[in-house]
Amino acid sequence: MTTEPDPTPRRTPLTKAAVLGAAVDMADRSGAGVPSMRNLADRLGVKAMALYHHFRNKEALTDGMTDLVFAEIELPADGADWHPAMRDRARSLREALRRHPWASALMDSRAQPGPATLRHHDAVIGCLRGGGFTVAGAAHAFALIDAYVYGFALQERSLPFETVDDLEGVAEGIMQSMADAHLPHLAEMFTELALKPGYDYGEEFEVGLDLILDGLARRRTDWR
């Protein structure tokens, strides 16, 4: 999906925030990632050179867009209990990745992370340290939680269904292809779980998150 340029010349001053907002909106709509400077300029109704007053190159624009996504993620408050805080933060990260699917490949790739990114990491580590994790333990916990959230978001985005009706259609097709094969465990999962009324694949996220957080709670003082 492409975004049509605004044919009306821009009459208000161009700001850094306006450039970032337009760039993120274009990336969300197209699904193609960071827009080119030329296409972004067309969207804003300016010459491409006007963008370079705010961002020296596309890498700097990408840094800013990524930082904007990090700013949307809920952070633990000072003194918060690490367990519910990490749960809330993981949920918030998942939602941000659902709103901005292009960002998942960029979030931890920036050599020049922005202020929101740095505050985010510092707050998460601080919450874990306040919860009794050693420095190494906080690093392990941070990496594990993020690997799970990013991985789940990628898998969720790649599934061939979005709604319950979609899932039923996909499951029925798979069941038909299994008709002549002996696949009792797969058939059982479909009939006893996936095709039951009210099943929501998204709820698997909470199950996995519970397992991770409970495991970290048992091990948080083990790492030195």
Side-chain angles (χ1 to χ4, degrees), residues 2-170:
T2 59
T3 303
E4 294 296 327
D6 184 354
T8 305
R10 189 176 188 86
R11 300 176 188 275
T12 57
L14 188 66
T15 65
K16 186 174 184 178
V19 174
L20 284 177
V24 168
D25 182 64
M26 290 178 71
D28 292 346
R29 290 174 180 270
S30 70
V34 180
S36 70
M37 300 297 264
R38 181 179 297 278
N39 288 342
L40 179 56
D42 288 344
R43 160 70 180 269
L44 290 165
V46 299
K47 298 293 185 182
M49 287 303 298
L51 301 181
Y52 292 98
H53 292 295
H54 300 284
F55 300 96
R56 64 184 180 278
N57 52 37
K58 190 173 180 179
E59 281 299 299
L61 175 66
T62 304
D63 290 342
M65 292 172 63
T66 305
D67 202 50
L68 207 60
V69 176
F70 266 111
E72 295 181 9
I73 302 168
E74 182 177 343
L75 292 183
D78 290 342
D81 185 333
W82 76 270
H83 198 288
M86 290 302 106
R87 178 183 300 284
D88 291 343
R89 180 256 174 188
R91 289 170 173 168
S92 183
L93 172 58
R94 178 191 173 204
E95 290 304 315
L97 294 175
R98 294 176 78 175
R99 289 191 297 272
H100 313 292
W102 53 271
S104 58
L106 300 173
M107 297 288 276
D108 291 314
S109 70
R110 314 317 304 155
Q112 298 292 328
T117 305
L118 297 174
R119 284 194 301 271
H120 176 97
H121 285 69
D122 186 71
V124 173
I125 294 168
C127 183
L128 291 168
R129 292 285 286 129
F133 286 80
T134 64
V135 173
H140 300 333
F142 201 168
L144 177 60
I145 293 168
D146 273 15
Y148 174 67
V149 178
Y150 282 104
F152 192 93
L154 176 61
Q155 184 180 40
E156 192 173 32
R157 190 164 64 248
S158 302
L159 291 172
F161 58 84
E162 293 183 5
T163 67
V164 173
D165 289 342
D166 292 340
L167 172 58
E168 290 177 353
V170 170

Side-chain angles (χ1 to χ4, degrees), residues 82 128 131-134 137-138 215-224:
W82 76 270
L128 291 168
F133 286 80
T134 64
L216 289 172
R218 292 193 296 270
R219 295 287 307 275
R220 72 183 187 278
T221 60
D222 291 355
W223 294 293
R224 302 296 175 188

Side-chain angles (χ1 to χ4, degrees), residues 136-214:
H140 300 333
F142 201 168
L144 177 60
I145 293 168
D146 273 15
Y148 174 67
V149 178
Y150 282 104
F152 192 93
L154 176 61
Q155 184 180 40
E156 192 173 32
R157 190 164 64 248
S158 302
L159 291 172
F161 58 84
E162 293 183 5
T163 67
V164 173
D165 289 342
D166 292 340
L167 172 58
E168 290 177 353
V170 170
E172 288 173 2
I174 294 175
M175 293 289 284
Q176 289 176 3
S177 68
M178 294 191 307
D180 297 328
H182 183 62
L183 303 170
H185 307 301
L186 188 57
E188 180 185 46
M189 180 168 289
F190 276 116
T191 56
E192 295 298 321
L193 181 68
L195 292 179
K196 284 290 185 67
Y199 176 74
D200 179 1
Y201 177 79
E203 293 178 0
E204 303 293 349
F205 178 79
E206 296 293 333
V207 176
L209 188 57
D210 276 341
L211 292 171
I212 289 171
L213 295 177
D214 290 348

